[in-house]
Amino acid sequence: MDGLMMRDGLLIGSILRRAETLFGSKEVVSRRGDGSIVRTTWGEVGRRTRKLMTALKSMGVQPGDRVATFAWNSQRHLELYFAVPMIGAVLHTINIRLPREQIVYIINHAQDRMLFVDKSLACLFAELQEAGSIPSIERFVIIDELAPPAPALPRPALPRSALDYEALIEPASVFEGEPVFDEETASGLCYTSATTGDPKGVLYSHRSTVLHAMGNCMVDGAAMCEREIALPVVPMFHVNAWGMPYSCAMVGAKLVLPGSGFVGQPLAELLEAEKVTCTAGVPTVWTLLYQHLQEKTYDLSHLKTILVGGAAASRTLIENYKRDFGITVIHAWGMTETSPMGTVSRLRSESEGWSQERKLEALLCQGLPVPGVEVRILDEHDRDLPWDGQSPGELLVRGPWIAREYYNNPAATAAFQPEGWFRTGDVAVIDPFGYVRLTDRKKDLIKRKGEWISSVDMENAAVAHPGVLEAAVVARPDAVCDEVPVCLVVKKEPQASVTADDILALLAQRFAKWQLPRPEDILFVESLPKTSVGKLDKKRIRSTMIQPGAAAVPGTPRTPSA
Ligand code: AMP
């Protein structure tokens, strides 16, 4: 028997309509490439989006066409977030930090027809166009993020016959009405930041995007609401900036877009000036910001929440922000394939009676699956493991905003089995309350004499040292033990007195003796390589930093390392 409720599909247009109708005067603020600020409103973003829809249509963009962007977090990128899917086309956000060959690969794989590119990033495409490497792109549109009149900078090489974004929008009329289509229609395409093999395309739908935005607005999700002033530091080219542009529009929150100003001073200034209340990004961003906040004072009294995901948030990070600034760091987990919100760590009501330490342990977990997402963990024979907080297994997830296939990639999709669940490649334990705690990526676990050591746990233990900025733990093949852990440490300051002994003593508080690295396998390094989305690049660390002759300095016991 059919239910008798309205069949209004879950379309991205409905998100924008709500922002325009109810919150038309609420602000959308963008920081331009030259540091200047552009202020507009959700109403104006809506009007310009509808002009852009007309412009896209008049250029022949058809339903299902892929329209790519190569841009930082800006108002114009936001307009594309709505205009492209609202005419039934697919917004393909390209990660600007990918290596050139991967950019070429994904443009060709996606068969993008148009590319909107920030002027400061456009010269790459002039070259690729010249070389005939991206033949599917018929038109380039330049997004100029400098304040007019633009300073007389050397003119970057632009692709031939490139159009100007504003020149495109200005004469266009506001699009009449809103095309209606099936809610399962593709709306966005994002490729995984593959550290091995080719990137894989995840094709979001209107339905998955709207449901994910609703999940973001749940109190036990990201708790986005109208009163928030939100600044996504997570780039708009990475998993739709964790869905924040959509969830902020849905509830009419003031949205602050930082351009390319993702670190230290520009970020701190924007957080202060716009009285931001919640922000989100990977741990490295917050570690660097914390360092900057030690050097210069800002009024961040409005900032209540930092949502951290993409890599594990350390105890130090959570404690430092709480103690020094009263800011709550909320730990969350997700992937490109999960839109990305999968789990968020919030205290359950049972925690009332828990000690501070027990509460902190729960907050350090990646969290409870958000409403809409189900989880399970499997052993190597695909048997379900108990939720006892101790049995690690591969994490599987399912839900309406989890990918069911990769775009045009049956081989990668085959790895999804068993049917109906997505294999994350992450290894986790789940406790009896349902808190998921990641112990590693499957490929990053260290296997010593057949027993597993969690690299993530060891990194977290190492960064608890006050003189340590960051740490990475990777496996080194070993003839006797199969693999042994190698711990690479970056000091906060070159002169900081941190020794291998200090690190070992810290690790010994949490790890059994057989799990500890050898003293000569604690290496002090100047910096650690990061992936295109700011996570530790363990593949590069393994291949270049732990081999004989690599640039690391072994931290000999009892010798303060220079
Ligand atoms: P991406 O698709 O680039 O967003 O990467 C997803 C991967 O990042 C996940 O499979 C995890 O390995 C890792 N990740 C995401 N969130 C966390 C977290 N809170 N803690 C540890 N690892 C995380």
Side-chain angles (χ1 to χ4, degrees):
M1 185 193 269
D2 270 353
L4 295 176
M5 308 309 282
M6 291 189 184
R7 291 208 164 98
D8 285 12
L10 301 172
L11 297 182
I12 286 173
S14 68
I15 297 180
L16 185 65
R17 253 186 351 261
R18 185 163 195 270
E20 291 169 293
T21 313
L22 294 173
F23 309 108
S25 58
K26 294 281 306 279
E27 269 188 313
V28 173
V29 178
S30 281
R31 184 180 176 279
R32 285 191 172 118
D34 56 7
S36 61
I37 298 291
V38 193
R39 284 180 195 283
T40 186
T41 59
W42 277 115
E44 182 60 8
V45 167
R47 198 182 68 85
R48 285 170 52 91
T49 295
R50 291 173 196 284
K51 284 165 74 86
L52 179 57
M53 288 166 71
T54 306
L56 289 168
K57 277 298 221 187
S58 66
M59 285 190 297
V61 177
Q62 298 295 321
D65 282 350
R66 272 75 67 207
V67 174
T69 59
F70 198 80
W72 292 105
N73 294 14
S74 72
Q75 178 196 335
R76 291 161 180 158
H77 206 171
L78 180 68
E79 290 159 0
L80 284 155
Y81 258 53
F82 287 98
V84 174
M86 281 172 68
I87 58 164
V90 180
L91 180 82
H92 174 199
T93 49
I94 303 175
N95 182 340
I96 65 169
R97 299 194 187 115
L98 286 179
R100 179 191 172 105
E101 62 277 13
Q102 289 195 358
I103 292 171
V104 170
Y105 170 84
I106 65 174
I107 290 177
N108 286 314
H109 188 267
Q111 286 291 291
D112 297 319
R113 278 190 67 196
M114 279 186 83
L115 184 102
F116 286 74
V117 53
D118 275 359
K119 195 171 187 177
S120 58
L121 306 169
C123 72
L124 168 68
F125 295 99
E127 283 170 46
L128 294 177
Q129 184 190 47
E130 215 47 54
S133 314
I134 44 174
S136 67
I137 306 259
E138 295 160 25
R139 278 175 202 269
F140 291 88
V141 181
I142 304 297
I143 305 174
D144 190 349
E145 279 302 318
L146 293 181
L153 294 175
R155 193 177 148 75
L158 299 179
R160 264 176 290 113
S161 359
L163 306 169
D164 174 69
Y165 186 92
E166 287 305 318
L168 199 68
I169 287 207
E170 213 270 319
S173 56
V174 170
F175 195 88
E176 290 288 327
E178 244 173 60
V180 174
F181 29 78
D182 191 283
E183 64 182 15
E184 300 279 5
T185 304
S187 61
L189 178 62
C190 188
Y191 281 73
T192 56
S193 43
T195 42
T196 51
D198 287 326
K200 300 180 287 266
V202 179
L203 191 59
Y204 309 106
S205 65
H206 280 257
R207 173 186 152 83
S208 73
T209 305
V210 172
L211 286 172
H212 180 265
M214 286 181 169
N216 243 324
C217 301
M218 284 191 210
V219 176
D220 288 331
M224 190 56 66
C225 70
E226 187 270 334
R227 289 172 297 284
E228 298 287 3
I229 300 175
L231 187 157
V233 183
V234 55
M236 289 174 82
F237 53 74
H238 186 217
V239 214
N240 295 328
W242 297 355
M244 283 173 81
Y246 292 125
S247 56
C248 286
M250 181 175 265
V251 294
K254 171 176 166 181
L255 180 61
V256 183
L257 298 167
S260 59
F262 281 16
V263 285
Q265 186 172 342
L267 180 57
E269 283 173 3
L270 201 57
L271 290 168
E272 177 183 61
E274 298 304 324
K275 301 186 169 33
V276 170
T277 60
C278 75
T279 177
V282 292
T284 322
V285 167
W286 309 118
T287 305
L288 294 176
L289 179 71
Y290 182 79
Q291 256 198 319
H292 181 68
L293 296 178
Q294 300 304 298
E295 289 155 17
K296 199 162 169 216
T297 306
Y298 294 84
D299 175 7
L300 296 187
S301 54
H302 296 88
L303 185 57
K304 301 287 175 261
T305 313
I306 297 179
L307 198 67
V308 178
S314 68
R315 170 184 286 257
T316 321
L317 191 76
I318 296 179
E319 285 181 333
N320 281 353
Y321 273 97
K322 194 60 168 181
R323 185 192 58 240
D324 295 353
F325 305 108
I327 297 169
T328 303
V329 171
I330 305 263
H331 197 189
W333 167 90
M335 315 175 68
T336 307
E337 293 89 333
T338 66
S339 293
M341 197 177 55
T343 65
V344 177
S345 207
R346 295 187 180 276
L347 290 176
R348 294 175 55 131
S349 54
E350 290 90 341
S351 70
E352 290 293 313
W354 296 353
S355 65
Q356 277 310 109
E357 179 57 22
R358 174 76 183 82
K359 285 183 185 168
L360 186 60
E361 301 233 309
L363 294 174
L364 271 167
C365 287
Q366 277 67 17
L368 295 168
V370 293
V373 174
E374 288 177 78
V375 294
R376 63 200 273 220
I377 36 173
L378 299 185
D379 69 10
E380 62 268 36
H381 306 294
D382 280 356
R383 289 178 305 217
D384 276 288
L385 284 162
W387 290 17
D388 57 8
Q390 289 173 15
S391 309
E394 185 175 7
L395 180 66
L396 277 74
V397 290
R398 74 171 176 197
W401 57 80
I402 312 288
R404 70 165 185 271
E405 275 183 40
Y406 286 111
Y407 178 59
N408 271 349
N409 194 339
T413 298
F416 272 29
Q417 303 304 326
E419 192 63 32
W421 288 82
F422 173 74
R423 275 188 187 275
T424 63
D426 285 329
V427 178
V429 296
I430 305 182
D431 79 4
F433 290 102
Y435 284 101
V436 174
R437 186 169 69 81
L438 251 62
T439 54
D440 232 322
R441 278 302 282 169
K442 227 166 139 185
K443 59 183 174 9
D444 292 336
L445 276 170
I446 299 153
K447 198 168 199 181
R448 190 180 186 281
K449 293 190 176 170
E451 298 289 338
W452 297 106
I453 304 170
S454 159
S455 67
V456 174
D457 284 354
M458 198 170 275
E459 285 155 10
N460 281 337
V463 295
H465 190 289
V468 171
L469 181 65
E470 52 179 359
V473 174
V474 293
R476 189 206 319 267
D478 185 275
V480 179
C481 303
D482 307 330
E483 290 179 342
V484 292
V486 178
C487 179
L488 297 99
V489 177
V490 180
K491 294 192 212 172
K492 274 201 182 129
E493 284 142 17
Q495 308 77 15
S497 97
V498 190
T499 66
D501 265 2
D502 298 339
I503 302 291
L504 276 174
L506 257 182
L507 300 185
Q509 292 171 15
R510 297 194 148 245
F511 288 86
K513 214 167 166 194
W514 66 266
Q515 296 179 308
L516 293 176
R518 302 169 185 138
E520 64 271 25
D521 282 337
I522 301 208
L523 306 177
F524 289 93
V525 294
E526 273 176 23
S527 63
L528 291 166
K530 303 285 173 357
T531 67
S532 59
V533 288
K535 304 180 196 186
L536 288 173
D537 189 342
K538 294 208 174 170
K539 193 172 147 221
R540 243 167 83 203
I541 294 173
R542 274 191 292 262
S543 63
T544 62
M545 298 184 78
I546 63 164
Q547 308 303 329
V553 184
T556 42
R558 270 176 283 283
T559 318
S561 51

